[in-house]
Amino acid sequence: MPSDGTDQSASSSKVVHAQKIEPMKISDLNQFVITADPQVVEFLCTAKLTEIQVAEGWCYIGCSVCSKKLIREETSFTCAPCNETNAVAQLRYRVILSVSDETGIAAFLGFDTEITKLTNVLAAEAAQIVGVGLNAQVDTDLPRVLSELVGKTYTFQLKLKEFNFTAHHQTFTISRIFPARDLAPLLTFAENVEVHERAHLQNVAPGTDDRAAITSDVAEVSTAGDGTLTGREAEANEHDAAEDNASKKARVE
């Protein structure tokens, strides 16, 4: 039954357009933001984490409700987005990672959500806020959960915005982080068949009948050590005998 224009419009609004995210080396990434037109685009970059830039800090004091950075008052914190003059503070990750691959170096910026997923530790669990307002400080220069990341290789999904194509940009923002894994090469169909056949032929004893010698992973036809038939073969013989008797009886009748 044909649908009206309203239904077609509602249906078309549910279409999701997928975009392939291309991998890119660090040298190509650095060159891309110099030569390409400003745009919003994402890339995958696999690189080794070589350093946490501690001089830039590793966290900020954010609002426990909206996560935005709090304004330090003399004896309290203010959250402008929440319009709260006595906001509850909570540490949030903001980490600049020095990374490298065989082509160059770069600085990637990781925020609270992705760094928490990577470490499985909240920033508020890794350190504590000491003091309130203007006197507030963090009791740890660099928590262990972050220092232990140095030396490891990850695949970073980076989101570039118009700002990255200006002379002022210093970091690339991380949208997702994946552990870098080396996958074993998959067998082609022909290789898989050949390996499968070799595995079966190894079970064939010389001079024996192929039908009896080539077995599956679960041997359904075998004989016990004392020469007696196994249960499956005995059942098969009994079934065959029953069919023979039934056939003979039919011919007699």
Side-chain angles (χ1 to χ4, degrees):
M1 180 177 179
S3 58
D4 56 21
T6 304
D7 292 338
Q8 291 177 352
S9 175
S11 176
S12 62
S13 66
K14 297 179 182 180
V15 175
V16 177
H17 298 281
Q19 180 182 4
K20 182 179 179 181
I21 301 176
E22 298 289 344
M24 183 173 283
K25 296 293 185 180
I26 289 179
S27 60
D28 297 329
L29 184 65
N30 290 331
Q31 186 65 24
F32 181 80
V33 296
I34 296 175
T35 59
D37 293 329
Q39 58 190 285
V40 177
V41 63
E42 291 189 272
F43 292 108
L44 293 174
C45 183
T46 298
K48 182 178 181 180
L49 200 165
T50 58
E51 181 186 7
I52 306 292
Q53 297 188 13
V54 182
E56 301 294 333
W58 62 272
C59 64
Y60 67 94
I61 299 176
C63 175
S64 61
V65 177
C66 71
S67 301
K68 299 297 183 181
K69 187 175 181 179
L70 294 177
I71 301 171
R72 296 173 181 240
E73 306 293 352
E74 187 173 351
T75 58
S76 63
F77 297 106
T78 295
C79 179
C82 294
N83 194 27
E84 177 59 60
T85 57
N86 193 24
V88 177
Q90 184 173 340
L91 286 182
R92 306 282 184 178
Y93 286 114
R94 183 190 180 278
V95 189
I96 297 179
L97 311 175
S98 295
V99 300
S100 67
D101 64 10
E102 66 275 15
T103 68
I105 61 175
F108 294 170
L109 175 60
F111 284 101
D112 192 65
T113 299
E114 294 310 317
I115 301 299
T116 299
K117 290 179 181 178
L118 181 63
T119 62
N120 290 319
V121 177
L122 294 171
E125 298 172 343
Q128 301 295 322
I129 302 172
V130 179
V132 180
L134 295 176
N135 297 322
Q137 295 180 348
V138 180
D139 66 355
T140 304
D141 291 334
L142 182 66
R144 184 176 178 180
V145 292
L146 292 180
S147 62
E148 289 178 341
L149 301 177
V150 176
K152 297 181 180 180
T153 300
Y154 300 96
T155 296
F156 301 90
Q157 183 172 325
L158 307 171
K159 186 169 186 178
L160 279 61
K161 297 184 178 181
E162 286 84 352
F163 176 77
N164 292 109
F165 296 85
T166 68
H168 303 288
H169 99 278
Q170 297 179 336
T171 62
F172 297 100
T173 301
I174 301 168
S175 58
R176 296 183 72 182
I177 305 175
F178 309 93
R181 295 187 178 93
D182 293 327
L183 299 178
L186 298 176
L187 294 175
T188 64
F189 176 78
E191 290 172 336
N192 190 37
V193 170
E194 182 180 354
V195 171
H196 181 72
E197 289 179 347
R198 285 202 304 265
H200 280 268
L201 289 176
Q202 287 175 355
N203 294 328
V204 178
T208 60
D209 182 70
D210 289 347
R211 290 183 301 171
I214 299 177
T215 62
S216 62
D217 295 335
V218 179
E220 294 185 352
V221 180
S222 62
T223 57
D226 57 358
T228 60
L229 295 176
T230 60
R232 286 185 178 271
E233 190 173 358
E235 290 175 1
N237 288 345
E238 290 175 1
H239 178 73
D240 291 340
E243 287 186 346
D244 289 341
N245 291 335
S247 176
K248 292 177 181 178
K249 185 177 180 181
R251 287 197 294 272
V252 171
E253 293 176 347

